[in-house]
């Protein structure tokens, strides 16, 4: 649902970056929640699960599908980020500085409780942010909290992310593709014991072919 809504926004507003960013912040949460609820009802019907009309019972159905969510819409100029519930988003910039997005989010819930797409008024519980890229070697790392909880501190987690950025910059994301499954398995066995999902987006420096002549500004 989130991917489809972001694709719709990008298709309509990619030529107007400012409007794209505004719509991502103001419209995306409500539209994702609405489409997600539609897919939940469709899936329940396909499984023979009754779909009630009463709101209280409908909330019970949604809670069976409840999930946290991390999303990112990446263009050549900027990254638009959204999150509901736990999980981590980190950006490592061209100087190797790690920024934890939404690190100071409200701790209204205690223990392992977290906000979810099935929470009441969930479209109001999203956090969003915008960052520029400008063709510099930047790494976006998104993961469920099983990854960060496998480290003994935020500093250790950030150090891991920076070392990953350095390795990918020296080689490529694809060079580590076969390495990630075993790495994540090792992290969870030694650390959190939780499942881990991780997504990466590396913004490489633009390649310039010095053997070709180019007009100024190309």
């Amino acid at each position: 649902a989130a991917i489809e809504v972001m694709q719709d926004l990008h298709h309509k507003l990619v030529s107007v970056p400012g409007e794209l960013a505004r719509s991502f912040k103001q419209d995306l949460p409500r539209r994702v929640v609405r489409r997600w609820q539609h897919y939940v009802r469709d899936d329940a019907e396909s499984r023979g699960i009754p779909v009630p009309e009463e709101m209280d019972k409908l909330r019970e159905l949604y809670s069976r599908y409840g999930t946290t969510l991390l999303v990112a819409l990446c263009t050549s100029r900027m990254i638009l980020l959204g999150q509901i519930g736990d999980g981590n988003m980190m950006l490592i910039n061209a100087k190797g500085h790690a920024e934890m997005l939404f690190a100071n989010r409200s701790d209204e819930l205690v223990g392992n409780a977290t906000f979810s797409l099935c929470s009441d008024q969930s479209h109001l519980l999203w956090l969003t942010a915008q960052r520029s890229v400008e063709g510099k070697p930047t790494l976006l790392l998104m993961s469920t909290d099983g990854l960060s909880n496998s480290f003994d501190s935020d500093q250790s987690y950030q150090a891991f992310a920076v070392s990953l950025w350095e390795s990918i910059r020296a080689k490529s994301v694809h060079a580590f593709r076969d390495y990630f499954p075993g790495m994540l398995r090792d992290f969870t066995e030694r650390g959190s014991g939780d499942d881990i999902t991780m997504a990466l987006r590396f913004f490489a420096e633009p390649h310039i072919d010095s053997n070709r002549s180019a007009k100024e500004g190309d």
Side-chain angles (χ1 to χ4, degrees):
I3 290 171
E4 289 176 359
V5 172
M6 286 193 296
Q7 287 175 331
D8 291 344
L9 289 178
H10 183 265
H11 178 71
K12 296 175 182 177
L13 302 172
V14 64
S15 60
V16 193
E19 184 64 17
L20 177 61
R22 184 209 64 78
S23 187
F24 184 94
K25 180 178 181 178
Q26 298 183 9
D27 303 332
L28 180 99
R30 188 183 299 275
R31 292 179 60 182
V32 169
V33 171
R34 188 182 300 127
R35 189 169 300 196
W36 173 79
Q37 290 175 344
H38 172 74
Y39 284 156
V40 166
R41 295 193 298 270
D42 282 353
D43 187 76
E45 289 180 350
S46 72
R47 298 173 186 271
I49 301 173
V51 178
E53 295 183 2
E54 300 87 349
M55 184 54 66
D56 289 344
K57 293 183 179 179
L58 198 53
R59 288 196 185 99
E60 292 180 10
L61 174 64
Y62 292 149
S63 69
R64 297 175 66 174
Y65 291 78
T67 181
T68 58
L69 179 65
L70 307 174
V71 297
L73 196 163
C74 304
T75 74
S76 59
R77 297 181 179 179
M78 62 183 177
I79 310 173
L80 301 173
L81 306 129
Q83 176 172 351
I84 180 170
D86 55 25
N88 300 98
M89 289 185 169
M90 191 184 306
L91 275 174
I92 297 88
N93 66 17
K95 296 181 179 180
H97 171 73
E99 177 189 7
M100 292 277 287
L101 281 302
F102 313 128
N104 297 319
R105 59 180 179 264
S106 173
D107 293 324
E108 297 178 32
L109 302 179
V110 296
N112 291 325
T114 185
F115 292 129
S116 165
L117 284 178
C118 68
S119 300
D120 289 339
Q121 299 292 304
S122 60
H123 64 282
L124 301 177
L125 304 175
W126 285 57
L127 300 169
T128 60
Q130 176 183 346
R131 295 292 184 272
S132 61
V133 181
E134 300 175 352
K136 298 178 180 178
T138 303
L139 178 67
L140 168 63
L141 170 61
M142 307 195 305
S143 68
T144 54
D145 61 342
L147 180 57
S148 60
N149 290 343
S150 295
F151 294 86
D152 56 10
S153 67
D154 287 344
Q155 290 73 22
S156 297
Y157 178 48
Q158 291 178 22
F160 155 75
V162 172
S163 68
L164 187 60
W165 169 82
E166 291 173 344
S167 299
I168 290 174
R169 187 179 180 184
K171 298 180 180 179
S172 70
V173 174
H174 296 290
F176 295 89
R177 182 176 53 191
D178 296 332
Y179 168 72
F180 288 133
M183 179 194 74
L184 297 181
R185 218 170 14 248
D186 183 62
F187 277 147
T188 191
E189 289 174 357
R190 295 170 178 265
S192 66
D194 198 1
D195 60 285
I196 300 174
T197 299
M198 181 175 73
L200 300 171
R201 174 66 166 90
F202 182 63
F203 299 82
E205 294 174 285
H207 175 72
I208 299 175
D209 188 347
S210 59
N211 294 322
R212 293 178 54 200
S213 60
K215 296 179 181 178
E216 183 177 353
D218 282 356

